[in-house]
Amino acid sequence: MRSHQDWVQEAAKATLHTRPFIGGRFVEAGQATFENRNPATGELLSEVADTGAAGVDAAVRAARSTYDSGVWSRAGMRFRRERMLRFADLLADHAAELAVLDSLDMGKRVADAHDLDLPFSVDLFRYYAEAIDKINDEVAPTPPGTLGLIRRVPLGVVAAVIPWNYPVDMLAWKVAPAMAVGNSVVLKPAEQSPSSALRIAELAVEAGIPEGVLNVIPGLGETTGKALGLHPDVDVLAFTGSTEVGRYFLQYAGQSNLKQVWLECGGKSPHLVFADAVDLAETAKHTAAGIWFNQGAVCSAHSRVLVERSVHEEFVSLVAAEAASYAPGDPLDPAAGMGAIVSPEQTDAIMRFVDEARDSSARLVTGGERITRDGSDSYVQPTVFDDVDPTSTLAREEVFGPVLAITPFDTEAEALALANDSAYGLAASVATGSLGRAHRLSEQIHAGTVTVNGVDAFSAWTPFGGFKGSGFGRDLSLHALDKYVGLKTVWINH
Ligand code: NAP
Ligand code: MG
């Protein structure tokens, strides 16, 4: 295991790419740039190109011409599998380098990036590489003298626009399945976290994945992201980010070429804690991880806890006691409980929620302060508000920060009603020792994933995504492949 000092040295060696990677190499973009700052220190890391409309067009044309050439889209399955496996190996070999890039760019604990994010992404590239030759097409039961084939075909150019909270994983969630079935990809990373994606594009070529299969264009949402959303030659747009920006992509598709749009958006996921929970202290640890892991910047963060009144007080103290293990520190220090918040602006936004809750009837149990360290004020204490009014802003809106809202309830029916009274439907968790209650609630809670006796479970093998304002379409598992293929019917009269 690397020490704080090891990671500081690793960070000192980091090279940050700043230009778009199109058609297999870094290219010049226009004059526009934006600053990439390390939120942990405020230090300027790099001036990054805002690719812009002309660069977006160049990237889409490179992706299209690679797709049309067939070097990847019509390559044998063994070829695609072997290149993707080699790519996965290269990502594993460069895990420390990539983890440092994410930590510097967006403030997460480098130990989490290295020990969790990178292995997950590596696994995902291997998973989809291995899936390529294990899914059969279909033959329909057509009348005698005819043959009806139902084939899955790649769609062409897939564009992906992703957020900053898990830069490497969000890339892998989109790129691995899209690439596996033969598409070419143009990916726009978030402005706060462009560095790992640019390096990964370079590694793809090193792994022998043909030039133009993976193009990465850094840039701002309102310029580069919008141009990608409106581009007439993009077939599929896979988005992960806020519900607000998700709405734009549906509009862009309507205003341009009716490209398919898949949205993984925000959440306000509830954790329902019943008095019959198997182990209340263990449940409090789940609650803490569910809101404070990754500084609370998790789309499926369990940011509201609904707890049965008879264990309410005990549970609130148990959760508050966990806060000590999540004290913010240097993201390069494996001993830090949390890292930095991605930017001063995001920290301002989090503090607006905290200040509004302080002025409400809710009770501040722990935290609530912004912290300055290493010359940066992008740190927030792990925070808990209790007795939060379920109609208040804190109970209803996504904070995307380390702020937990607790509300007590009296009956299962009340807990269920509160859980479902949300604009979102991404995830939910239930702590109960009752098998009947576990089944009843997992059936009735309207969320893409319900975890019983744990919090926010997900894996490569199970689909992930939401209902309602959390979007539609599923990442991960074999089901993700459905987003990146079209069904083609071939009818033969013989
Ligand atoms: P965001 O502001 O919605 O941005 C997501 C991406 O969209 C970024 O690349 C962004 O570029 C781009 N974008 C912003 N405005 C745009 C516009 N007008 N047109 C085109 N593209 C635009 O989200 P974020 O702040 O990066 O991430 C936090 C959000 O992501 C939260 O709501 C969280 O719940 C969600 N999220 C969801 C999942 C999931 O799987 N459901 C996973 C992780 C995160 P810029 O970087 O330049 O703004
Ligand atoms: Mg943003």
Side-chain angles (χ1 to χ4, degrees), residues 161-166 170 173-174 188-193 219-227 229 239-246 248-249 252 263-267 297-300 346 398 400 424 426 464-466 470 475:
V161 176
I162 58 171
W164 47 262
N165 58 338
Y166 287 93
M170 292 297 103
W173 289 28
K174 308 295 188 206
K188 189 199 91 64
E191 66 188 84
Q192 296 89 345
S193 55
L220 305 180
E222 310 79 70
T223 51
T224 302
K226 182 175 179 180
F239 171 76
T240 293
S242 61
T243 300
E244 183 193 347
V245 175
Y248 287 129
F249 279 101
Y252 298 153
L263 302 178
E264 295 276 2
C265 300
V298 178
C299 52
S300 47
Q346 177 68 10
E398 183 180 46
F400 224 57
Y424 297 108
L426 188 53
F464 181 95
S470 296
D475 279 332

